[in-house]
């Protein structure tokens, strides 16, 4: 498989600094060599964005902080993602905070509408990222990225790269939710997303949840984008992430999910976000991010 690795050193969308260094940490953890060892060809490996550090820019709208640079960076990402998919290649985006999903999904939507391909998103995250500027308690755009991709929120976000909705919310499946704001929870229910919370995992067992996730995508779409936020993991396994919430997924559960998604044959793109080296311990979180990508792209224990 030809892979385009697109680094997005962007931390404008979050409150805590440091995720802009995530792509470097993942690179140093050996991502390229690991994927080449699986027989993949790294066709491109670069960052499509050129932006100032966050400290150089004004907050602008306190309900959607750093809106202009986030839109600019994501439009550049969307162009590269569209180009990769249109070439039949696999875009792998390394963040950065989760606001980069705006560009990833916009680029996918632009490419897939040319071929009338129906796509969905597996959103592995502790958070819903389904706020709008009206419901967000923080004004951080990484918490507004998925709702905007579905057409809810500020026009600067909903019309990013091209006008109109990028993703049907009925084709979104969450895994690992454990921290939702009241406003976004209401909007998620109205939009019709499918969600498996940590409570669902505890009640049903992880294998059963994975079975339902696979069934969901096979019924509804032809291609899947995996968007994996490292804060979906328990901090025991991923200390280097911006929001360390207890009672998350284990490392074994996350690896199993990636293997099963690989075996589905439906995954055409992926992103790993919210690796924060400032908070990490001996680059453990970045190293595990490489493990996750390797499993998603074909690595097996035996």
């Amino acid at each position: 498989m030809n892979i385009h690795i697109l680094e997005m050193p962007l931390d404008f969308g979050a409150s805590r600094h440091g995720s802009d260094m995530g792509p470097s940490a993942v690179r140093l953890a050996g991502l390229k060599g690991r994927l080449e060892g699986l027989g993949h060809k790294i066709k491109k490996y670069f960052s499509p964005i050129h932006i100032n550090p966050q400290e150089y820019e004004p907050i602008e709208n306190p309900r959607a902080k750093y809106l202009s640079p986030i839109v600019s960076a994501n439009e550049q990402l969307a162009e590269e993602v569209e180009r990769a998919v249109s070439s039949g290649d696999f875009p792998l985006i390394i963040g950065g905070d989760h606001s980069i999903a705006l560009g990833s999904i916009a680029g996918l939507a632009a490419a897939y509408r040319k071929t009338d391909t129906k796509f969905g998103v597996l959103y592995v995250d502790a958070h819903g990222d389904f706020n709008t500027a009206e419901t967000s308690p923080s004004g951080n755009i990484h918490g507004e990225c998925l709702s905007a991709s579905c057409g809810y929120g500020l026009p600067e976000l909903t019309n990013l790269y091209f006008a109109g909705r990028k993703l049907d919310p009925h084709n979104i499946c969450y895994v690992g939710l454990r921290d939702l704001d009241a406003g976004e929870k209401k909007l998620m229910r109205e939009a019709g997303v499918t969600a498996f919370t940590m409570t669902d995992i505890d009640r049903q067992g992880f294998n059963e949840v994975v079975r339902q996730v696979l069934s969901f995508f096979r019924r509804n779409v032809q291609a899947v984008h995996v968007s994996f936020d490292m804060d979906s993991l328990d901090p025991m396994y991923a200390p280097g992430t911006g929001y360390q919430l207890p009672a998350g997924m284990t490392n074994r559960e996350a690896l199993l999910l990636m293997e099963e998604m690989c075996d589905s044959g439906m995954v055409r793109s992926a992103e790993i976000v919210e690796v924060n080296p400032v908070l990490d311990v001996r680059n453990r979180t970045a190293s595990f991010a490489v493990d996750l990508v390797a499993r998603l792209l074909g690595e097996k224990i035996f």
Side-chain angles (χ1 to χ4, degrees):
M1 181 190 296
N2 292 330
I3 298 175
H4 298 214
I5 302 177
L6 306 173
E7 293 189 348
M8 288 293 289
L10 184 71
D11 70 349
F12 284 69
S15 294
R16 292 187 177 180
H17 288 305
S19 61
D20 58 327
M21 295 183 280
S24 295
V26 172
R27 188 185 336 120
L28 292 171
L31 178 63
K32 182 174 183 286
R34 190 80 163 269
L35 296 181
E36 288 176 335
L38 294 172
H40 299 299
K41 179 181 179 181
I42 308 304
K43 195 170 179 181
K44 290 185 177 181
Y45 197 158
F46 76 114
S47 174
I49 63 171
H50 303 283
I51 58 173
N52 290 325
Q54 187 184 109
E55 291 81 4
Y56 294 1
E57 299 287 349
I59 288 178
E60 300 175 307
N61 183 353
R63 307 304 303 166
K65 299 172 183 174
Y66 304 106
L67 180 62
S68 296
I70 287 174
V71 167
S72 176
N74 276 290
E75 287 189 335
Q76 293 172 70
L77 173 61
E79 183 177 359
E80 287 299 328
V81 170
E82 180 185 8
R83 184 176 291 120
V85 174
S86 298
S87 300
D89 298 337
F90 189 104
L92 173 62
I93 305 100
I94 309 297
D97 68 64
H98 220 155
S99 68
I100 69 171
L102 287 160
S104 302
I105 294 171
L108 294 170
Y112 286 138
R113 67 179 182 171
K114 298 174 187 173
T115 57
D116 199 26
T117 299
K118 195 174 182 181
F119 80 103
V121 173
L122 173 63
Y123 210 76
V124 188
D125 201 330
H127 306 93
D129 295 350
F130 222 81
N131 274 298
T132 65
E134 287 71 36
T135 65
S136 173
S138 67
N140 293 329
I141 290 178
H142 73 161
E144 304 174 22
C145 57
L146 199 52
S147 53
S149 297
C150 294
Y152 302 98
L154 296 172
E156 293 92 337
L157 299 178
T158 60
N159 294 324
L160 187 144
Y161 198 51
F162 66 87
R165 187 176 76 172
K166 312 304 187 294
L167 175 65
D168 186 341
H170 292 94
N171 296 331
I172 296 170
C173 186
Y174 287 92
V175 173
L177 291 172
R178 61 190 191 278
D179 184 20
L180 297 175
D181 298 314
E184 74 174 334
K185 186 188 299 186
K186 181 175 183 292
L187 185 56
M188 288 165 69
R189 287 173 173 163
E190 291 174 354
V193 304
T194 294
F196 294 97
T197 67
M198 289 307 302
T199 299
D200 294 320
I201 290 171
D202 291 339
R203 285 176 175 162
Q204 300 180 39
F206 198 72
N207 284 345
E208 174 59 20
V209 166
V210 171
R211 186 193 69 77
Q212 292 182 56
V213 169
L214 293 171
S215 177
F216 170 86
F217 285 121
R218 286 170 180 148
R219 287 195 314 269
N220 294 305
V221 300
Q222 299 160 280
V224 177
H225 173 65
V226 175
S227 186
F228 197 106
D229 190 319
M230 296 302 287
D231 74 17
S232 63
L233 295 158
D234 191 276
M236 178 186 306
Y237 307 104
T241 189
Y243 291 86
Q244 299 169 339
L245 295 171
M249 287 196 302
T250 68
N251 54 354
R252 292 170 63 184
E253 288 169 339
L255 290 170
L256 174 63
L257 179 59
M258 293 298 98
E259 282 197 43
E260 292 294 322
M261 290 307 299
C262 176
D263 290 346
S264 75
M266 300 184 71
V267 179
R268 299 287 182 270
S269 56
E271 63 197 356
I272 299 283
V273 303
E274 302 286 0
V275 173
N276 191 328
V278 174
L279 303 171
D280 209 0
V281 179
R282 296 188 297 276
N283 218 31
R284 277 171 48 194
T285 306
S287 295
F288 190 62
V290 174
D291 292 340
L292 291 168
V293 172
R295 294 294 178 92
L296 182 63
L297 293 179
E299 185 175 84
K300 302 290 185 185
I301 294 175
F302 181 72

